[in-house]
Amino acid sequence: MNTEKIISPPSGYLAFSLFLILLALTVLGLAFKEIAAAAILGIINFVFVLPGLVIVNPNESKVLTLFGKYVGTVKHDGFFWVNPFTVKKKVSLRAFNLNGQQLKVNDKVGNPIEIAAVIVWRVKDTANAVFAVENYIQYVNIQSEAAVRHLANSFPYDNIEDETASITLRGGAEQVSVLLEKELNERLDRAGIEVLEARISHLAYSPEIAHTMLQRQQASAIISARRLIVEGAVGMVEMALARLSEKNIVNLDEERKAAMVSNLLVVLCGDRSVNPVVNTGTLYH
């Protein structure tokens, strides 16, 4: 691969002034019927002076090659004059946004998901961008898609099926973005491309399993909530029994304790309001 070489060619204003002078002399030669002299001046002007003028806009560059050999890159904006026989290829140094298409892939545990990413990139090495790959823009598109697919295959969508996973696509957005940016920089370094930012822009289960996975998530949430309610209810029952025993409010045998625990658990764990029942008798009659 070629190493980028930044050059600073001479100002183009002097060359443009020379072009105007030679153009005026050519016109005068034709006016005075000095055809040979006018032809020579015209050839010099339009073959050697004018083709060497080049304008470089801000955040752009010109990659110069002479007879198949890389000469250098002009990165400074301005008006310059270069060898008129060089081939000048414009390469933009601006940041590009790549809004990747939605890809249907399988996550680490095999669930089909839809994923897409937004990638911000720019050219950092113009020589590699022009000479190392055939088309650096197409190269970025293809390698970005491959990196997103590899990322999706490396992590589960969430912790439902893989509870031991430390990073998931849904829960570890920041970590996933850092890993995606790192992999893209490694893949695109060959083409002289630098990735400034990479983010997951779309993440969802595929339509054929989305409804089922939603029900599964809801069931998992309900189970977790019930587990928390039961743990809290058991703690409250233990506290109530301990306080009653501590204050000597009432002496409860094992059967009365069991009845009290049962009633408290029904009240605390039920998902509906409880209607009180006044017991005018005893537990034994």
Side-chain angles (χ1 to χ4, degrees), residues 226 229 263-276:
R226 286 294 181 186
I229 291 173
N263 292 334
L264 286 175
L265 289 177
V266 169
V267 172
L268 296 174
C269 297
D271 57 353
R272 297 180 181 178
S273 59
V274 179
N275 297 321

Side-chain angles (χ1 to χ4, degrees), residues 129-241:
V130 174
F131 304 116
V133 294
E134 183 68 25
N135 186 319
Y136 67 89
I137 295 180
Q138 184 181 16
Y139 186 82
V140 171
N141 293 336
I142 294 175
Q143 291 298 323
S144 298
E145 179 177 333
V148 172
R149 288 183 180 276
H150 179 260
L151 181 77
N153 294 332
S154 301
F155 301 101
Y157 182 88
D158 53 26
N159 292 105
I160 293 179
E161 293 188 358
D162 190 357
E163 297 182 355
T164 61
S166 58
I167 301 177
T168 62
L169 297 175
R170 189 182 67 166
E174 291 297 329
Q175 296 168 295
V176 169
S177 297
V178 171
L179 293 173
L180 177 60
E181 182 177 331
K182 179 181 178 182
E183 181 171 353
L184 283 170
N185 276 314
E186 293 175 354
R187 286 174 176 265
L188 300 178
D189 183 67
R190 177 188 298 274
I193 304 298
E194 178 185 13
V195 176
L196 304 177
E197 185 180 4
R199 296 280 178 180
I200 300 298
S201 60
H202 174 78
L203 181 64
Y205 283 113
S206 295
E208 60 267 23
I209 69 165
H211 181 66
T212 302
M213 298 307 293
L214 178 60
Q215 290 180 326
R216 184 171 183 177
Q217 290 175 353
Q218 292 174 343
S220 177
I222 292 173
I223 292 172
S224 299
R226 286 294 181 186
R227 182 181 296 114
L228 182 62
I229 291 173
V230 170
E231 290 178 357
V234 170
M236 294 179 68
V237 170
E238 290 178 347
M239 181 180 66
L241 293 175

Side-chain angles (χ1 to χ4, degrees), residues 4 54-65 70 72-77 87-96 121-137 191-193:
E4 183 182 60
V54 60
I55 297 175
V56 180
N57 296 315
N59 270 337
E60 287 186 356
S61 65
K62 287 290 194 307
V63 179
L64 309 179
T65 55
Y70 172 59
T73 301
V74 183
K75 281 191 171 182
H76 303 290
D77 56 283
V87 177
K88 311 164 192 68
K89 181 176 178 60
K90 182 178 75 172
V91 177
S92 176
L93 302 178
R94 298 182 177 93
F96 291 85
W121 62 275
R122 68 179 181 90
V123 176
K124 69 174 181 179
D125 191 312
T126 56
N128 286 336
V130 174
F131 304 116
V133 294
E134 183 68 25
N135 186 319
Y136 67 89
I137 295 180
I193 304 298

